[in-house]
Amino acid sequence: MRRLIFLTLLLIIFSPFSSWAWYIKYYDVEIKVEPSSELKIVEKLVVDFEDENKHGIYRDIPLDFYDPSGKKHRIEIKDILVTNQNLNSYQTKISKHKNTLRIKIGDPNKLVNGTQFYIISYKVKYALYNLGPIDELYWNAIGTGWNVPIKNVTAKVILPFEDSSIQFTCYTGAFGRIDKNCKIKKEKQAILFTLTQPLSAHEGMTIAVGWKAGLIPIPEGPPWWKNPWIYTFLYIILFLSFMIWLWWTKGRDIGGKGAIQTQYFPPENLTPLEAGTLIDEKVDGRDIVAEIIDLARRGYLKIIEIEEPKFLFGKKINYILEQTKKFDTVIQNNPFDLQILSGIFEDKSRVKLSELNKKFYRFIPLIKKHVFSSLTSKGFFFKNPLNVRNKYTWLGAIVFIFTIWIMIGSQFLYSTLPFPILLSGLVTAFGLLIFGRFMPRKTSKGTEMLEYLKGYEEFITKVERDVIEKLFSPEKIPEVFEVTLPFAIVFGEGDKWAEAFESLFTKPPRWYEGTDSFSTVYFAHSLNNFTSQASQIFTTSPRSSSSGSGGGGFSGGGAGGGGGGSW
């Protein structure tokens, strides 16, 4: 009886709807699409602070978003008004921080509790976009940034026309999920989305509505050409000179011995994925597959080769990935390995490789981010290469936009366009993009590790069977083969490495199950096939013409969204 009472108290204490944890009872979003393509949005929130004393809530709205084709858009928000159910205005403070607009609601000199009603209305420009044959609204109606549960959600989209080409869908759950826990009802020009189960903290609902292109005008975005910029021919020389000096002093790798020595053992404290990334400063599909094979070697999953019938005749090879160990502390402290395993298995413990097609790609940006962060934190780079390259990419893009503006504006001042102005702008823009590729700078430790990896690659490339037998005892040979194999795959030398071990051992690794009798050459061939399939599957995304409303979206995608909290 005591245990039951104790468990009941724990449930009450940690329940998302406990008496001292506020939540949102009801969240209604109405989105009216104007004939001008502008959106009029009204959000109605019924918030229950219960016994907590709060000034109010804040609402965060991202200003940038990516459509399903990967194109970036920036919205404009104006005419913000916040009232209660009696249409009495709340005190609000509007601010912008980087990519987010914050609406802070409430009186700093007044506290409230219990049930509160908020109506947030605002207008949005440039939220609609074109995807070939369709125009689309892809809107994160309930953002995944809310850190409290939301019990009931409805969202309505009202279009300025009625057309049989309209398509629509919704996505729910945590960021990146593609669950569809909502009911959809269309009534003439309105589409109503109703959530079928409550949202936990950091879960959201994204809606997508598409229609035949051309029914309303879709502006490209804010007129970027309003910002002036002038180039001269002299600036080209100064700019290129400056960039060469900048690379020599800030981008050129330092240290190293200047000579490559053959290395016989894998590097310490460096995984195959990190090694492949350090070599060319890119995260390739092959690098990720090599890391998966190394994770299998470390006991976290098993790779099972299976045969499946082809569509008409014959058989094809597929693979099953089976989780064999829970995510322990080692994995929890290694974000990119954790992201890889989470991306493969999600809520399953066994999945076919083919089932990850056009799904796993969502996790690659985070994997890249974590790998470069890891290499930087280990002291191989002075600054995170992703951040360095992104900085130069943005600078190059900004200069390119200004150059186009000058090209157009100059036509109003001259009968012919001054060629040096156009040339200086283009050289500057592309110079930033090109130099930016070479600006990530390795530390002395990073340069020495790169030399070590090249020496290790040399050993793998030139290894012969008699060398293996001289270097390693018979009982160590299987372990050496397995430990080095992922690195050999990173270097593109998996076959060469396997050939050197032919007949040296006959027992297959515990983490791989094939369909034929084991030999190292057969095993390497199978892994090459696995690497080829997996590299393509992991990096394949839906066609760029796919849309959110046609099934190419996910929870947290699209414009809007964000979240909020209390203060």
Side-chain angles (χ1 to χ4, degrees):
M1 186 64 182
R2 287 184 190 176
R3 183 176 296 177
L4 179 60
I5 294 173
F6 178 72
L7 290 174
T8 303
L9 287 173
L10 284 179
L11 287 173
I12 292 173
I13 290 170
F14 294 105
S15 168
F17 306 115
S18 64
S19 59
W20 48 84
W22 72 278
Y23 64 97
I24 300 174
K25 282 186 176 181
Y26 181 68
Y27 202 139
D28 173 76
V29 182
E30 181 181 281
I31 305 166
K32 186 177 182 182
V33 182
E34 295 291 301
S36 64
S37 81
E38 191 173 88
L39 305 183
K40 289 185 177 180
I41 298 179
V42 179
E43 300 182 5
K44 297 178 182 178
L45 296 87
V46 180
V47 174
D48 191 351
F49 291 127
E50 296 196 340
D51 295 329
E52 289 190 82
N53 291 317
K54 300 286 187 179
H55 296 288
I57 64 171
Y58 59 86
R59 174 79 171 91
D60 291 339
I61 307 175
L63 298 176
D64 291 342
F65 75 98
Y66 292 87
D67 66 34
S69 71
K71 183 179 179 181
K72 187 176 183 178
H73 300 264
R74 186 172 183 87
I75 63 174
E76 286 186 1
I77 297 177
K78 61 180 183 177
D79 299 344
I80 300 170
L81 178 65
V82 184
T83 68
N84 61 16
Q85 68 271 37
N86 299 319
L87 302 184
N88 296 320
S89 297
Y90 279 106
Q91 184 173 334
T92 59
K93 181 180 179 181
I94 311 299
S95 60
K96 288 184 180 179
H97 180 66
K98 294 184 179 179
N99 178 43
T100 301
L101 180 141
R102 170 166 288 190
I103 308 170
K104 191 175 182 180
I105 307 165
D107 187 339
N109 300 314
K110 181 181 177 181
L111 293 171
V112 297
N113 56 32
T115 301
Q116 302 295 321
F117 199 107
Y118 299 94
I119 302 176
I120 307 172
S121 61
Y122 53 95
K123 295 179 181 179
V124 180
K125 296 179 68 175
Y126 312 118
L128 305 182
Y129 52 84
N130 172 260
L131 288 174
I134 70 167
D135 294 334
E136 185 170 67
L137 167 66
Y138 183 32
W139 191 260
N140 199 4
I142 309 296
T144 55
W146 284 102
N147 58 5
V148 293
I150 304 174
K151 275 192 170 183
N152 300 288
V153 174
T154 57
K156 179 188 285 187
V157 176
I158 303 173
L159 299 173
F161 53 81
E162 185 176 0
D163 188 82
S164 59
S165 68
I166 297 173
Q167 58 188 32
F168 40 81
T169 190
C170 73
Y171 310 96
T172 61
F175 181 86
R177 299 288 297 184
I178 54 176
D179 304 335
K180 297 189 177 184
N181 298 316
C182 60
K183 294 189 300 184
I184 307 176
K185 183 179 180 181
K186 182 179 181 299
E187 294 180 348
K188 296 183 178 180
Q189 296 171 234
I191 301 100
L192 178 65
F193 302 83
T194 304
L195 196 70
T196 56
Q197 65 181 43
L199 297 175
S200 299
H202 300 294
E203 290 186 338
M205 180 174 80
T206 296
I207 60 176
V209 180
W211 55 86
K212 182 172 61 179
L215 295 180
I216 57 174
I218 305 293
E220 284 296 318
W224 45 263
W225 46 264
K226 288 184 179 179
N227 298 314
W229 199 270
I230 299 175
Y231 294 101
T232 63
F233 183 73
L234 177 61
Y235 184 76
I236 297 176
I237 300 173
L238 295 175
F239 167 76
L240 292 177
S241 300
F242 172 74
M243 292 305 299
I244 292 172
W245 173 83
L246 191 65
W247 171 80
W248 185 261
T249 58
K250 302 293 184 181
R252 184 170 54 99
D253 296 341
I254 65 171
K257 299 176 181 177
I260 306 300
Q261 296 179 347
T262 302
Q263 306 294 337
Y264 302 100
F265 301 95
E268 295 182 3
N269 195 30
L270 204 68
T271 72
L273 176 55
E274 290 175 309
T277 304
L278 184 66
I279 289 171
D280 57 11
E281 299 180 8
K282 295 188 297 183
V283 177
D284 302 315
R286 185 172 66 184
D287 298 336
I288 294 175
V289 176
E291 188 75 8
I292 291 171
I293 292 172
D294 194 58
L295 285 167
R297 180 192 66 80
R298 287 184 265 158
Y300 291 98
L301 69 142
K302 185 175 184 179
I303 303 171
I304 303 172
E305 180 184 329
I306 60 173
E307 290 183 342
E308 294 180 332
K310 289 185 178 179
F311 179 67
L312 291 176
F313 304 104
K315 294 182 179 181
K316 62 180 181 180
I317 298 297
N318 199 354
Y319 298 87
I320 292 175
L321 303 178
E322 182 180 90
Q323 185 178 344
T324 54
K325 185 165 69 171
K326 293 183 178 180
F327 299 164
D328 55 19
T329 304
V330 175
I331 289 296
Q332 295 289 348
N333 292 330
N334 195 338
F336 59 84
D337 277 346
L338 179 62
Q339 198 69 56
I340 289 172
L341 292 172
S342 299
I344 292 172
F345 296 110
E346 294 193 82
D347 297 329
K348 302 177 181 178
S349 60
R350 187 179 172 95
V351 63
K352 282 186 180 181
L353 179 63
S354 56
E355 293 173 355
L356 299 174
N357 193 35
K358 299 181 181 179
K359 293 181 180 179
F360 187 87
Y361 77 97
R362 307 193 313 268
F363 299 90
I364 289 181
L366 273 178
I367 293 171
K368 289 181 179 179
K369 176 183 175 181
H370 291 316
V371 171
F372 280 110
S373 294
S374 176
L375 289 172
T376 305
S377 66
K378 289 179 179 179
F380 297 120
F381 291 97
F382 283 100
K383 294 182 179 179
N384 189 311
L386 277 183
N387 296 339
V388 173
R389 286 178 178 150
N390 286 340
K391 180 177 71 174
Y392 284 94
T393 298
W394 275 108
L395 287 172
I398 291 170
V399 173
F400 182 78
I401 291 174
F402 281 136
T403 302
I404 301 301
W405 180 87
I406 293 170
M407 182 181 68
I408 296 173
S410 297
Q411 296 180 16
F412 294 98
L413 302 175
Y414 306 95
S415 57
T416 58
L417 175 67
F419 181 74
I421 295 177
L422 174 61
L423 180 63
S424 64
L426 293 177
V427 169
T428 304
F430 287 105
L432 285 167
L433 294 174
I434 293 170
F435 272 94
R437 300 299 93 191
F438 301 96
M439 290 307 294
R441 190 184 196 190
K442 293 184 183 69
T443 62
S444 179
K445 179 180 178 181
T447 304
E448 290 175 5
M449 179 56 74
L450 179 62
E451 291 176 346
Y452 187 98
L453 290 171
K454 289 181 178 179
Y456 191 41
E457 180 180 8
E458 184 175 310
F459 163 62
I460 293 173
T461 303
K462 298 180 179 179
V463 69
E464 299 291 344
R465 174 173 173 166
D466 58 339
V467 175
I468 296 294
E469 291 178 314
K470 289 178 182 178
L471 287 174
F472 308 105
S473 60
E475 62 272 13
K476 278 285 186 181
I477 284 178
E479 179 184 350
V480 170
F481 174 79
E482 291 186 39
V483 169
T484 302
L485 181 60
F487 291 94
I489 291 173
V490 165
F491 300 139
E493 299 291 346
D495 284 338
K496 176 66 177 176
W497 182 248
E499 288 173 5
F501 284 81
E502 181 64 14
S503 302
L504 288 179
F505 65 97
T506 57
K507 187 177 179 181
R510 67 187 184 285
W511 48 267
Y512 191 92
E513 184 178 310
T515 58
D516 207 341
S517 57
F518 176 80
S519 73
T520 57
V521 173
Y522 160 76
F523 181 56
H525 174 75
S526 299
L527 282 184
N528 271 347
N529 185 56
F530 172 75
T531 301
S532 177
Q533 285 191 39
S535 297
Q536 182 176 1
I537 286 172
F538 290 155
T539 56
T540 299
S541 60
R543 292 190 305 168
S544 60
S545 60
S546 67
S547 65
S549 56
F554 55 87
S555 176
S566 62
W567 66 288

